[in-house]
Amino acid sequence: SIKIVGVENWGAGGFVKHGDIEKASEGLSERDFKILLSHDPSYWQQNIKSNHKNFQLTLSGHTHGMQFGIEIPGVIKWSPVQYRYKNWAGIYEELGRRINVNRGFGYLGYPGRVGIWPEITVITLKAKDA
């Protein structure tokens, strides 16, 4: 089975910190396969990747890749947002746990994007071989 857990926003810097992973995961064990929905990827860095309940996958967004950047797969992936967020676009793995940060398809301020394309992510989960 898969447990899907969501938290209210918790953001680094001046963003609100309402996310409460302990409350959201009451009744779950370390062995459950859990997917966490957390808007801001900084929550994963500061509170989730080493959490004792072992959240295997976190899905986040928030950064939009700052709507500006350069990406040539396998060559370069750069955006000024990387100076604020360690995890800003794509899949990252630390401590055996993963986060996928989606660039989304919206915007903040400037109604467009330069080099950071809108994104819809498809993730296929597969059972681990016994």
Side-chain angles (χ1 to χ4, degrees), residues 73-117:
V75 177
I76 187 171
K77 178 176 152 186
W78 177 88
S79 171
V81 78
Q82 72 190 46
Y83 303 113
R84 178 170 172 110
Y85 295 96
K86 182 175 181 180
N87 313 109
W88 61 275
I91 296 176
Y92 302 85
E93 181 179 356
E94 291 183 42
L95 304 175
R97 294 148 191 210
R98 292 176 178 85
I99 183 170
N100 184 73
V101 183
N102 183 293
R103 294 162 230 198
F105 48 86
Y107 61 87
L108 178 62
Y110 170 69
R113 292 167 177 251
V114 176
I116 296 294
W117 298 104

Side-chain angles (χ1 to χ4, degrees), residues 114-129:
V114 176
I116 296 294
W117 298 104
E119 175 180 27
I120 295 174
T121 304
V122 176
I123 296 174
T124 303
L125 301 174
K126 296 180 180 182
K128 187 184 244 184
D129 292 332

Side-chain angles (χ1 to χ4, degrees), residues 41-100:
S42 57
Y43 192 53
W44 185 77
Q45 266 305 325
Q46 296 185 21
N47 296 302
I48 301 303
K49 73 178 181 185
S50 59
N51 186 282
H52 66 96
K53 291 221 175 151
N54 187 25
F55 286 83
Q56 293 90 346
L57 175 62
T58 298
L59 303 177
S60 291
H62 180 70
T63 72
H64 297 275
M66 201 176 251
Q67 298 164 232
F68 176 79
I70 301 168
E71 184 166 8
I72 302 170
V75 177
I76 187 171
K77 178 176 152 186
W78 177 88
S79 171
V81 78
Q82 72 190 46
Y83 303 113
R84 178 170 172 110
Y85 295 96
K86 182 175 181 180
N87 313 109
W88 61 275
I91 296 176
Y92 302 85
E93 181 179 356
E94 291 183 42
L95 304 175
R97 294 148 191 210
R98 292 176 178 85
I99 183 170
N100 184 73

Side-chain angles (χ1 to χ4, degrees), residues 5 20-27 53:
V5 179
D20 185 342
I21 195 61
E22 295 305 317
K23 184 176 181 181
S25 62
E26 285 178 5
K53 291 221 175 151

